Amino acid sequence: KAGVTQTPRYLIKTRGQQVTLSCSPISGHRSVSWYQQTPGQGLQFLFEYFSETQRNKGNFPGRFSGRQFSNSRSEMNVSTLELGDSALYLCASSGWGNSYNEQFFGPGTRLTVL
Amino acid sequence: AQKVTQAQTEISVVEKEDVTLDCVYETRDTTYYLFWYKQPPSGELVFLIRRNSFDEQNEISGRYSWNFQKSTSSFNFTITASQVVDSAVYFCALSEAEKAAGNKLTFGGGTRVLVKP
């Protein structure tokens, strides 16, 4: 069974630009969550999507948005990039039943904002 | 609000030594889950264990064991007979148990473990 995949793996952008990151969950998983990891703030929850609906949202500005498609794939968008948005963005998926909140993470997208 | 604290920022051991990672959490939820994740240099977070707040039984899984004490809000993790491949950053995390609440992990700051040969 293929794991969580994220594209692209690395990205370099300049301030003011926007960026879209993609995440494909494990087959059969309907929940996709996004996290931002920085040296200063650590791992922080961005948002979660379940069945194409945002179910949870972290404490991030409106420049951070996401969506989920009918095949459970998810995209995350950051507009008007700032230097502080440089981070590793991790996506996680989870399934049903007793393991509903066991989140399996992808390799991440490392975003550098210049 | 939920909070997870990992007081140890870095631990260095020699191979075959045991390593215990401390985790203290705060939550107002009566039911919750606790997790340990490992992040090797490649960056991907690897799920290790999950424990629910109803079950304080401590277990051993291979070289991993954990000590969950609700009375002290602690969820410590031990690697027995450490190996070089155990070198990574280890994160303790907390989430609500209600399915309707969805999936939102609150992570601790992580503990970097360096196992020297």
Side-chain angles (χ1 to χ4, degrees), chain B residues 93-107:
Chain B
L94 170 69
S95 77
E96 292 183 46
E98 289 295 324
K99 288 186 181 182
N103 291 312
K104 174 185 174 182
L105 288 170
T106 299
F107 285 92

Side-chain angles (χ1 to χ4, degrees), chain A residues 48 56 94 98 100-101 103, chain B residues 33 37 39 50 97 101 103 105:
Chain A
E48 180 206 4
N56 263 311
S94 58
N98 290 333
Y100 78 94
N101 65 353
Q103 295 190 48
Chain B
Y33 280 94
Y37 280 86
Q39 188 175 42
R50 179 186 74 161
N103 291 312
L105 288 170

Side-chain angles (χ1 to χ4, degrees), chain A residues 57 59-65:
Chain A
K57 189 178 189 305
N59 190 24
F60 278 81
R63 299 186 298 106
F64 292 82
S65 63

Side-chain angles (χ1 to χ4, degrees), chain A residues 34-38 40-47 58-60 88-90, chain B residues 105-107:
Chain A
W34 289 89
Y35 294 83
Q36 181 198 64
Q37 185 176 25
T38 60
Q41 299 299 317
L43 275 158
Q44 293 186 288
F45 172 79
L46 279 156
F47 30 65
N59 190 24
F60 278 81
L88 179 66
Y89 290 89
L90 292 162
Chain B
L105 288 170
T106 299
F107 285 92

